[in-house]
Amino acid sequence: QVNLLESGGGSVQVGGSLRLSCSVSGDTTRYNAMAWFRQAPGQAREGVASIYTPRGTPYYADSVKGRFTISRDNQNTLSLQMSSLNVHDSGIYYCAVGSFWTPPQALNAPRYLYWGQGTQVTVSS
């Protein structure tokens, strides 16, 4: 069993930055993929960034490439540094853990087995 808890969400103006964190507990040794997803009201959950944990290899959605950075700070913490935020970045952000990491499927939600409850990010103009 793996438990995930996101934090760091909030309200920010266009052009601002936020850093999200995901606290991970439980045995993750059999899983090699961690990721961030987001979901805006009325829209499907969208993969934002993922990381291949054995090597720290990241993979990003085109919409966030160059603005977001995913990192695994330690065995128990996954982070997402977000900068140059725009209104389209608003939504609930979730972290997830899975065992399949092959781009572009690395951003496919059904590939992930464990999910946090999410943290709200609101970007306003």
Side-chain angles (χ1 to χ4, degrees):
Q1 181 70 26
V2 176
N3 296 301
L4 307 171
L5 181 63
E6 303 92 341
S7 62
S11 297
V12 64
Q13 291 192 326
V14 169
S17 299
L18 277 175
R19 185 177 182 88
L20 305 183
S21 293
C22 176
S23 177
V24 183
S25 60
D27 183 6
T28 60
T29 55
R30 67 179 67 183
Y31 307 109
N32 61 11
M34 301 182 75
W36 288 96
F37 289 77
R38 67 187 180 192
Q39 188 166 19
Q43 298 192 20
R45 194 165 295 191
E46 171 192 22
V48 173
S50 68
I51 190 165
Y52 180 57
T53 55
R55 297 184 179 178
T57 307
Y59 179 69
Y60 298 97
D62 288 342
S63 59
V64 306
K65 206 171 291 184
R67 300 188 298 120
F68 290 14
T69 302
I70 187 172
S71 62
R72 193 180 186 194
D73 300 336
N74 53 53
Q75 191 73 17
N76 303 112
T77 306
L78 179 73
S79 295
L80 184 69
Q81 178 67 46
M82 307 186 293
S83 60
S84 301
L85 287 163
N86 60 59
V87 295
H88 301 293
D89 295 318
S90 296
I92 300 174
Y93 282 69
Y94 301 89
C95 62
V97 168
S99 57
F100 184 90
W101 196 91
T102 302
Q105 290 299 313
L107 294 181
N108 189 4
R111 296 290 188 180
Y112 289 83
L113 304 172
Y114 295 100
W115 294 82
Q117 293 189 336
T119 186
Q120 177 72 47
V121 172
T122 303
V123 184
S124 58
S125 57

